[in-house]
Amino acid sequence: MKITYILFLSLCLLLFPNSISAERPSLQAMINEAEAGGTVMIPPGYYEENITIDKPLSLIGERDVTINSCENAPVVKIKSEGVQLSNVLVEQCNEDNGDLAAVYVTGDQHHLSNLEIQSSQMGLQLFEANQIVVEESTIMGTRKENGVDLWKTNDTTIKEVKIDTILDGIYMEQSHRNTIVQNVIENARYGIHLMFTNDTVIEQNQSQHNFTGAMVMEAQNVLIKNNDFSFNNQNVNSQGLLLYLTSDVVAENNLFASNRVGVFIEDSSDAAIANNIFQSNTIGAQWKNSSDNSLVGNTFNGNVNDTQANESANNIIKNNYWDAALKLDIDGDGVSELPHAADPYFMALVQRIPEYQLFFQHPGITLLKQVFNGPEDELLRDLEPSMVYASSENGQKNDKQIILWFVDVVFILVSFIFIQKWRRSL
């Protein structure tokens, strides 16, 4: 009897699959039936539909919940106020509308967490939304549009979000008092991009393998602290951090490693660049048409050129550690009595004759730098260089530096063995 029942049920599933699945209501129907302020627990399953949440509601996936849509509309649209969305995989497969977001949010005081967004266009758009929290989520794109896009969105926190293969990782325009913290952004044009945006905190993020780690344009009062901007070198114009037409920016305790340019400051003033590590960049810090900025307490180690300036005067430069500087501390105060002029002679030489890049760190180039100076307007002078080398606080080591140390050790050992054999042969 049991065997007959099982066979009958299996035959029904094969002949009438839609009638069985129709017993489960659509996700939008669950939302429509829920009371404002209530909670909808989404049963496990694959939901092919677009949904709109237009009232205060908590929408929480129990487990293995996927919402998929290829329609010309956001997969998930949130409006009203006080919506919570979590534990959901959102799949967008629309290829026609480049401005279309997989998750579109407007209104205030929403909380989005534990989301996985796989977007063919834009990932998450916050449009005129305030006091939003986005955390512990993942966004994967196709490099067509931004991962997280903020437009006139204020007092919002984006935390612990992993963003990969998008246009701009986190883009903010006319959005103020936002906090961007502990995110990981890779394979983007700009990892973090600010436009006409003030009072922003960018802290403890990792922005690597991008065209530019972070771009801050026409913004004021921005704090950039404890970030890792490394390996942003996909183009000759790549930077770890780009400041353009900014004022009152503080960049401190960041790691700028293996970038084309560590920090590029153009047409900006009142920027405080302090206690950062510039390591193995082609140019550590570059200035253009910028004045009244400060470069204090930083470490420059293993860069092709530590600094380069063009039409940039009245900048405070002191107490930086320069691995290329001649150092002499007579009174033991940790400050060298010998001023250091960061001379971009090699960079100027290579710009005229690119083939000279082959002679980077050659003893002959070092000798030429002592005889000939670079352009006077490109020199930056530190009158009180530091004797103290600061290592990266997060304990990360740069692969190029490890290789250089290994080569140096091998070279010394080979030289010692050669000298010993030469002495014995005499």
Side-chain angles (χ1 to χ4, degrees):
M1 190 68 181
K2 289 183 179 180
I3 296 175
T4 304
Y5 177 76
I6 292 172
L7 290 174
F8 176 76
L9 183 60
S10 300
L11 183 62
C12 290
L13 288 171
L14 290 172
L15 296 177
F16 309 104
N18 294 332
S19 64
I20 301 299
S21 61
E23 294 179 0
R24 186 184 70 184
S26 71
L27 185 51
Q28 186 64 59
M30 298 181 205
I31 295 169
N32 294 341
E33 293 174 1
E35 295 182 359
T39 299
V40 174
M41 302 300 299
I42 311 174
Y46 190 83
Y47 299 83
E48 292 187 82
E49 58 181 300
N50 305 84
I51 63 171
T52 298
I53 309 172
D54 57 0
K55 56 189 170 185
L57 192 69
S58 294
L59 192 65
I60 304 173
E62 292 182 1
R63 57 181 176 84
D64 299 328
V65 173
T66 299
I67 309 174
N68 171 278
S69 176
C70 301
E71 300 296 328
N72 190 25
V75 182
V76 179
K77 184 175 183 179
I78 298 174
K79 51 185 182 178
S80 183
E81 294 185 354
V83 172
Q84 178 184 353
L85 177 67
S86 62
N87 301 339
V88 171
L89 166 60
V90 178
E91 294 180 343
Q92 178 197 47
C93 48
N94 180 287
E95 297 288 347
D96 298 328
N97 191 341
D99 295 328
L100 187 66
V103 179
Y104 176 87
V105 178
T106 188
D108 301 338
Q109 297 180 333
H110 304 305
H111 188 178
L112 284 65
S113 64
N114 294 304
L115 301 180
E116 182 178 349
I117 300 174
Q118 297 178 2
S119 175
S120 58
Q121 302 294 337
M122 188 182 297
L124 168 64
Q125 185 174 30
L126 307 179
F127 188 90
E128 295 183 347
N130 301 294
Q131 299 176 338
I132 312 298
V133 175
V134 181
E135 62 181 350
E136 298 177 354
S137 298
T138 301
I139 299 175
M140 175 68 72
T142 58
R143 276 210 167 182
K144 292 181 179 179
E145 293 293 336
N146 301 328
V148 181
D149 188 287
L150 283 70
W151 168 258
K152 293 187 177 180
T153 292
N154 308 311
D155 305 302
T156 287
T157 298
I158 300 173
K159 180 180 180 181
E160 297 182 25
V161 179
K162 294 183 179 180
I163 305 173
D164 200 340
T165 318
I166 27 66
L167 184 62
D168 291 351
I170 300 174
Y171 176 84
M172 292 177 282
E173 185 171 351
Q174 298 185 44
S175 300
H176 312 299
R177 302 180 303 279
N178 297 305
T179 299
I180 312 300
V181 59
Q182 297 177 352
N183 302 285
V184 177
I185 306 167
E186 296 183 333
N187 300 311
R189 181 183 64 170
Y190 301 128
I192 301 170
H193 189 178
L194 276 62
M195 294 279 291
F196 312 105
T197 291
N198 303 327
D199 306 310
T200 306
V201 175
I202 301 172
E203 186 172 3
Q204 297 180 9
N205 300 281
Q206 181 177 307
S207 184
Q208 298 183 341
H209 304 287
N210 304 303
F211 184 95
T212 292
M215 177 180 180
V216 182
M217 178 176 176
E218 296 204 34
Q220 297 178 354
N221 193 26
V222 179
L223 174 62
I224 305 169
K225 183 178 180 180
N226 294 328
N227 300 282
D228 183 347
F229 298 112
S230 301
F231 304 103
N232 299 292
N233 50 25
Q234 298 180 7
N235 188 280
V236 294
N237 297 314
S238 291
Q239 306 96 4
L241 172 64
L242 171 61
L243 304 181
Y244 180 67
L245 293 172
T246 66
S247 62
D248 297 308
V249 173
V250 175
E252 61 182 14
N253 298 318
N254 301 287
L255 173 63
F256 300 100
S258 300
N259 304 289
R260 174 64 176 80
V261 179
V263 174
F264 190 96
I265 304 172
E266 183 175 1
D267 293 321
S268 297
S269 61
D270 300 310
I273 313 298
N275 303 317
N276 303 283
I277 293 177
F278 295 86
Q279 181 172 286
S280 300
N281 304 284
T282 304
I283 302 175
Q286 189 170 9
W287 312 66
K288 183 178 180 181
N289 300 326
S290 297
S291 59
D292 301 316
N293 303 286
S294 64
L295 186 72
V296 179
N298 301 280
T299 294
F300 290 85
N301 181 45
N303 303 290
V304 177
N305 286 276
D306 289 327
T307 62
Q308 185 177 20
N310 183 17
E311 299 180 4
S312 298
N314 301 321
N315 294 300
I316 299 173
I317 302 171
K318 66 178 183 179
N319 298 137
N320 301 285
Y321 175 88
W322 312 85
D323 65 339
L326 297 175
K327 306 174 185 68
L328 178 63
D329 184 7
I330 297 176
D331 53 12
D333 62 353
V335 176
S336 175
E337 270 66 51
L338 301 176
H340 174 65
D343 189 349
Y345 173 79
F346 181 72
M347 180 62 66
L349 186 64
V350 166
Q351 287 177 346
R352 292 195 299 269
I353 309 176
E355 290 77 10
Y356 281 8
Q357 295 178 73
L358 296 172
F359 300 103
F360 171 56
Q361 290 188 334
H362 190 279
I365 295 295
T366 303
L367 179 61
L368 287 175
K369 287 176 65 175
Q370 304 301 321
V371 178
F372 303 103
N373 292 325
E376 184 65 25
D377 64 343
E378 297 184 6
L379 293 178
L380 292 177
R381 289 183 170 84
D382 190 335
L383 301 180
E384 302 176 7
S386 174
M387 300 288 294
V388 180
Y389 171 83
S391 60
S392 174
E393 290 185 0
N394 58 19
Q396 295 183 354
K397 295 182 179 179
N398 183 268
D399 293 338
K400 292 184 178 180
Q401 288 300 112
I402 295 174
I403 294 173
L404 288 174
W405 279 105
F406 177 76
V407 171
D408 289 343
V409 170
V410 171
F411 181 78
I412 293 172
L413 290 175
V414 171
S415 300
F416 178 78
I417 294 172
F418 178 79
I419 293 172
Q420 291 296 323
K421 288 185 177 181
W422 179 75
R423 291 178 60 185
R424 289 174 183 174
S425 63
L426 293 178

